[in-house]
Amino acid sequence: MSDSKHAKVLIIGAGAAGYTAAIYAARAMLEPVLIQGIQPGGQLTITTDVENYPGFAEAIQGPWLMEQMEAQARHMGTEMVADTIVSADLKKRPFELKGDSGTLYTADALIIATGAQAKWLGLPSEQHFQGFGVSACATCDGFFYRGKEVLLIGGGNTAVEEALFLTNFASKVTVIHRRDSFRAEKIMQERLFKNPKIEVIWDSTVEEIVGTDDPRSVTGAKVKNLKTGETREIPAHGVFVAIGHAPATELFIGQLDMKEGGYLKTAPGTPRTNIPGVFAAGDVTDDVYRQAVTAAGMGCQAALEAERWLAAQEAHAEAAE
């Protein structure tokens, strides 16, 4: 017989959204249970210097910030569980979720904060230099490349937006795209082509990211032209990968409404999904901002909404008696 655990509020995901939701739910005496998943701390655990999270005059380390959030949530009374949810049935009341451990979790209210992962090229050299010159977030890390040359890989709206953003800091931005035209909106493309700091290399892919190991830093990338087969090395201090994000929503396909790209759809300005009592917060629903501070804000909203929803359910049940 497998174990089972019931929670008034079950939170899945241990990033800025999940931990903030836990802090608020615990303060509301809802005794939240948080399932941490395979990457406790989320995307911030692969980010080194964080300069844009309010409250810290000096740059802080992403993993340290997540450790502090986890400690605060624990201190408030959140129960942390090292497990990964592998299936969910949101048609049942209470909601039923199965852990990889075999545990059956039931919940009166559910907060989904499973986040999103940047899509990577899948190169060993890319992984080697992640956080040491390779980034998937221009708004997080662009500042560190003031007056330096950078490469950006991608061709959609996000890639073009990030290339333009990087020109605020970098002396030159070289965009590498595997096709001969961008998929981005025309107005964004026009802005990019007009910018004197941006050069585009078409029909090309990055074969390898090159750099040094002492200290670990990027010096450039080997780029292959798909039409001619020619390979050349382009010098750069940083490489930004902007080929999209994949939200962790596979569990909810066919149960929750989704936007394009698999992001969970919520009622405008709220964390409410199409199933009452199920709330979504952070990068799992946010395909626009994707920042730690916005994720934290949404985690707060989700916990407050869950508290109100549970109170309304209780009042309704009492009135029916």
Side-chain angles (χ1 to χ4, degrees), residues 3 5 10 12 35 83-90 94-100 102-107 109-112 251-252:
D3 292 341
K5 179 181 278 293
L10 186 72
I12 50 175
I35 312 294
D83 200 355
T84 303
I85 299 298
V86 293
S87 67
D89 187 346
L90 305 183
F95 306 120
E96 286 190 0
L97 299 97
K98 193 80 177 283
D100 187 46
T103 303
L104 177 69
Y105 301 94
T106 57
L110 177 66
I111 295 174
I112 300 165
L251 289 174
F252 310 109

Side-chain angles (χ1 to χ4, degrees), residues 220-232:
K222 287 180 183 169
V223 176
K224 181 181 182 181
N225 185 297
L226 296 171
K227 289 194 170 166
T228 66
E230 181 198 347
T231 301
R232 60 180 168 135

Side-chain angles (χ1 to χ4, degrees), residues 43 112 114-119 244-253 258-264 282-287 290:
Q43 290 187 84
I112 300 165
T114 46
Q117 294 269 325
K119 291 178 184 171
H245 283 74
T249 55
E250 301 88 351
L251 289 174
F252 310 109
I253 293 169
M258 295 185 185
K259 298 181 267 190
E260 195 182 336
Y263 291 86
L264 295 181
D283 287 12
V284 76
T285 180
D286 177 14
D287 54 346
R290 292 196 290 262

